[in-house]
Short mmCIF file of all heavy atoms in Angstrom, two decimals:
data_model
loop_
_atom_site.label_atom_id
_atom_site.label_comp_id
_atom_site.label_asym_id
_atom_site.label_seq_id
_atom_site.Cartn_x
_atom_site.Cartn_y
_atom_site.Cartn_z
N ILE A 338 2.93 -73.47 46.62
CA ILE A 338 1.59 -72.80 46.86
C ILE A 338 0.83 -73.54 47.97
O ILE A 338 0.29 -72.89 48.79
CB ILE A 338 0.83 -72.69 45.55
CG1 ILE A 338 1.53 -72.04 44.38
CG2 ILE A 338 -0.51 -71.79 45.80
CD1 ILE A 338 1.93 -70.61 44.34
N GLU A 339 0.76 -74.76 47.80
CA GLU A 339 -0.10 -75.61 48.76
C GLU A 339 0.57 -75.28 50.16
O GLU A 339 -0.32 -75.20 51.10
CB GLU A 339 0.18 -77.08 48.47
CG GLU A 339 -0.74 -77.54 47.36
CD GLU A 339 -2.12 -77.14 47.49
OE1 GLU A 339 -2.82 -77.33 48.51
OE2 GLU A 339 -2.74 -76.64 46.41
N GLY A 340 1.84 -75.21 50.29
CA GLY A 340 2.47 -74.84 51.64
C GLY A 340 2.02 -73.56 52.16
O GLY A 340 1.75 -73.29 53.36
N LEU A 341 1.85 -72.57 51.27
CA LEU A 341 1.45 -71.21 51.60
C LEU A 341 0.01 -71.27 52.17
O LEU A 341 -0.33 -70.61 53.14
CB LEU A 341 1.42 -70.25 50.39
CG LEU A 341 2.84 -69.86 49.90
CD1 LEU A 341 2.64 -69.01 48.69
CD2 LEU A 341 3.67 -69.01 50.89
N ILE A 342 -0.92 -72.04 51.34
CA ILE A 342 -2.29 -72.18 51.72
C ILE A 342 -2.41 -72.81 53.16
O ILE A 342 -3.18 -72.30 54.03
CB ILE A 342 -2.92 -73.04 50.65
CG1 ILE A 342 -3.00 -72.28 49.36
CG2 ILE A 342 -4.52 -73.25 51.21
CD1 ILE A 342 -3.43 -73.02 48.20
N LYS A 343 -1.63 -73.84 53.36
CA LYS A 343 -1.70 -74.50 54.70
C LYS A 343 -1.29 -73.55 55.77
O LYS A 343 -1.94 -73.54 56.81
CB LYS A 343 -0.72 -75.79 54.72
CG LYS A 343 -0.95 -76.70 55.83
CD LYS A 343 -0.19 -77.99 55.61
CE LYS A 343 -0.04 -78.66 56.89
NZ LYS A 343 1.34 -78.95 57.11
N ALA A 344 -0.23 -72.79 55.62
CA ALA A 344 0.27 -71.84 56.62
C ALA A 344 -0.75 -70.77 56.84
O ALA A 344 -0.97 -70.37 57.88
CB ALA A 344 1.61 -71.30 56.18
N THR A 345 -1.44 -70.39 55.76
CA THR A 345 -2.45 -69.16 55.91
C THR A 345 -3.59 -69.73 56.85
O THR A 345 -3.92 -68.91 57.65
CB THR A 345 -2.77 -68.71 54.54
OG1 THR A 345 -1.80 -68.49 53.79
CG2 THR A 345 -3.81 -67.59 54.54
N LYS A 346 -3.88 -70.94 56.58
CA LYS A 346 -4.97 -71.58 57.49
C LYS A 346 -4.62 -71.56 58.86
O LYS A 346 -5.54 -71.70 59.64
CB LYS A 346 -5.45 -72.88 56.88
CG LYS A 346 -6.19 -72.81 55.52
CD LYS A 346 -6.57 -74.21 55.02
CE LYS A 346 -7.44 -74.12 53.75
NZ LYS A 346 -7.45 -75.40 53.18
N SER A 347 -3.33 -71.79 59.13
CA SER A 347 -2.94 -71.85 60.59
C SER A 347 -2.39 -70.63 61.25
O SER A 347 -1.82 -70.64 62.23
CB SER A 347 -1.78 -72.92 60.64
OG SER A 347 -1.97 -73.94 59.90
N ILE A 348 -2.62 -69.52 60.51
CA ILE A 348 -2.02 -68.31 61.13
C ILE A 348 -2.49 -67.80 62.37
O ILE A 348 -1.76 -67.13 63.15
CB ILE A 348 -2.27 -67.12 60.04
CG1 ILE A 348 -1.08 -66.08 60.14
CG2 ILE A 348 -3.49 -66.32 60.04
CD1 ILE A 348 0.26 -66.53 59.79
N SER A 349 -3.68 -68.14 62.78
CA SER A 349 -4.17 -67.84 64.15
C SER A 349 -3.26 -68.41 65.30
O SER A 349 -3.37 -68.03 66.46
CB SER A 349 -5.52 -68.19 64.30
OG SER A 349 -5.74 -69.64 64.23
N GLU A 350 -2.44 -69.45 64.95
CA GLU A 350 -1.49 -70.04 65.92
C GLU A 350 -0.35 -68.99 66.36
O GLU A 350 0.28 -69.22 67.41
CB GLU A 350 -0.93 -71.24 65.33
CG GLU A 350 -1.85 -72.38 65.32
CD GLU A 350 -1.16 -73.57 64.42
OE1 GLU A 350 0.10 -73.56 64.31
OE2 GLU A 350 -1.91 -74.41 63.92
N ILE A 351 -0.18 -67.99 65.54
CA ILE A 351 0.97 -67.12 65.81
C ILE A 351 0.38 -65.84 66.64
O ILE A 351 -0.57 -65.26 66.19
CB ILE A 351 1.52 -66.52 64.48
CG1 ILE A 351 1.93 -67.70 63.60
CG2 ILE A 351 2.63 -65.54 64.78
CD1 ILE A 351 3.21 -68.46 63.95
N LYS A 352 1.03 -65.59 67.64
CA LYS A 352 0.58 -64.49 68.59
C LYS A 352 1.12 -63.09 67.88
O LYS A 352 2.22 -63.05 67.62
CB LYS A 352 1.18 -64.54 69.91
CG LYS A 352 0.61 -65.72 70.78
CD LYS A 352 0.92 -65.48 72.24
CE LYS A 352 0.61 -66.64 73.13
NZ LYS A 352 1.41 -67.69 73.08
N ARG A 353 0.21 -62.26 67.77
CA ARG A 353 0.60 -60.96 67.08
C ARG A 353 1.60 -60.20 67.99
O ARG A 353 2.49 -59.60 67.51
CB ARG A 353 -0.57 -60.15 66.81
CG ARG A 353 -1.51 -60.77 65.72
CD ARG A 353 -2.77 -59.90 65.55
NE ARG A 353 -2.69 -58.70 64.71
CZ ARG A 353 -2.75 -58.56 63.50
NH1 ARG A 353 -3.05 -59.68 62.70
NH2 ARG A 353 -2.71 -57.41 62.92
#
Side-chain angles (χ1 to χ4, degrees):
I338 310 279
E339 283 310 312
L341 291 175
I342 295 170
K343 194 168 156 235
T345 308
K346 286 181 179 162
S347 312
I348 206 66
S349 60
E350 290 170 19
I351 306 290
K352 290 199 186 77
R353 291 175 77 90

